[in-house]
Amino acid sequence: MTSDLSRLLPATLPPGRLVGGEDGPEPLLWISDAPAPAGLWQQLHRAHPQSGLWPLLLVPLGDGADYRPWLSGELFPASASDPTLYDPDALLRRWWQQLGGTDEDAPESPPESPPEGPFEAEDAAELHAALAPFGPAWPGTAPAAAVPDGAPGIEARGLADVLLSVRDARLGLVEAGSGAEALAACGWSGPLNHEDDTAKIAAVLADWERRFGAQVVQVGFDTLELSVAVPPATLAEALPLAAEHTAFCPDLVFQGAGTLAAYAERLVAAHQWSFWWD
């Protein structure tokens, strides 16, 4: 993030403020003082290649005046490394293995310790049923789709319209090359209970942007809303992608759909992906 973010901000923005994080006063993002005006997110999204500022719709946790985490100082850029350091497939594989406590890279636990996953050892059968048709071995990532030129932007701007019709959100701007990079740059830590380095989350999101035209549109305290240019067209295509989403955000299955197969059905032809971490 530049030390002089203000020099990049368009003069036509509504009233707002520069926000720093817990690590210091250097501005991490700009946020509007009121809900985003209709059409402005889309205008700024189109201008991103020239401005270098990625627009986000920002929503808070609850209704407090501190608008957590955006105005409460709960932004931690120093805790994020560099998204380009990571192989997305390796990250997803490790998270998948951790679901059942089979992380091959982790140090061995004492025999009396249960695996670190959603289930204890005696519930292995339930775990396998929840992750069917896949087992504890990482099934690999879904094949990349053919993403038409311009489609990611069209879907992102359309989703912004839909989200703003449902609830108010403030406009945020972050100096970043993409929405994925913006999350690490501004110090967002929503998935902290699953992964404490947002750069790893950003690496997977960037890979989904390459493979499916997915873009970050809205961010909350521990939630994400992505637009998707090319979603899976069939259940067979959706199943390996559902495995990726489960590794990335286990709550989608273990506190949501109940099984990976049930979650996969929701991905067929879905141009919006929603994530939340408990």
Side-chain angles (χ1 to χ4, degrees):
M1 173 62 66
T2 179
S3 59
D4 186 18
L5 177 59
S6 59
R7 67 180 173 80
L8 300 175
L9 296 172
T12 55
L13 287 176
R17 69 189 82 174
L18 293 168
V19 175
E22 188 174 89
D23 301 320
E26 181 177 334
L28 302 172
L29 60 88
W30 176 92
I31 182 172
S32 62
D33 291 337
L40 182 56
W41 191 97
Q42 291 82 349
Q43 175 186 337
L44 293 166
H45 185 265
R46 290 189 181 93
H48 171 259
Q50 290 74 43
S51 72
L53 294 170
W54 187 269
L56 297 169
L57 295 177
L58 303 178
V59 295
L61 177 67
D63 299 319
D66 52 0
Y67 214 80
R68 298 179 64 192
W70 312 110
L71 298 180
S72 60
E74 297 172 273
L75 300 172
F76 311 97
S79 66
S81 54
D82 180 351
T84 64
L85 297 175
Y86 301 103
D87 174 9
D89 180 82
L91 291 170
L92 291 166
R93 181 175 65 251
R94 182 166 188 178
W95 290 333
W96 179 268
Q97 291 168 344
Q98 289 173 342
L99 294 176
T102 60
D103 182 1
E104 297 170 354
D105 297 324
E108 292 186 11
S109 300
E112 65 271 15
S113 298
E116 295 181 0
F119 297 97
E120 301 295 334
E122 60 267 24
D123 296 322
E126 187 177 353
L127 174 62
H128 290 172
L131 299 181
F134 308 114
W138 171 234
T141 55
V147 180
D149 290 344
I154 291 171
E155 290 296 334
R157 293 187 287 272
L159 179 58
D161 268 337
V162 171
L163 292 171
L164 286 172
S165 73
V166 174
R167 69 174 295 187
D168 286 340
R170 296 199 194 186
L171 174 67
L173 290 170
V174 182
E175 185 185 8
S178 67
E181 294 177 14
L183 298 180
C186 76
W188 179 71
S189 60
L192 178 64
N193 291 335
H194 174 58
E195 174 53 62
D196 61 4
D197 185 349
T198 304
K200 296 177 183 179
I201 297 294
V204 173
L205 293 172
D207 189 49
W208 286 343
E209 181 165 8
R210 289 188 291 269
R211 286 191 286 142
F212 306 107
Q215 294 193 356
V216 177
V217 176
Q218 181 170 283
V219 192
F221 184 85
D222 55 6
T223 61
L224 277 180
E225 300 294 338
L226 273 59
S227 61
V228 186
V230 188
T234 66
L235 182 59
E237 292 178 2
L239 282 168
L241 181 60
E244 294 188 43
H245 284 201
T246 303
F248 180 79
C249 182
D251 289 341
L252 293 172
V253 168
F254 297 111
Q255 296 190 54
T259 67
L260 184 149
Y263 176 70
E265 293 178 359
R266 303 178 184 180
L267 293 179
V268 177
H271 287 271
Q272 178 179 352
W273 294 346
S274 301
F275 300 96
W276 59 276
W277 291 267
D278 193 358

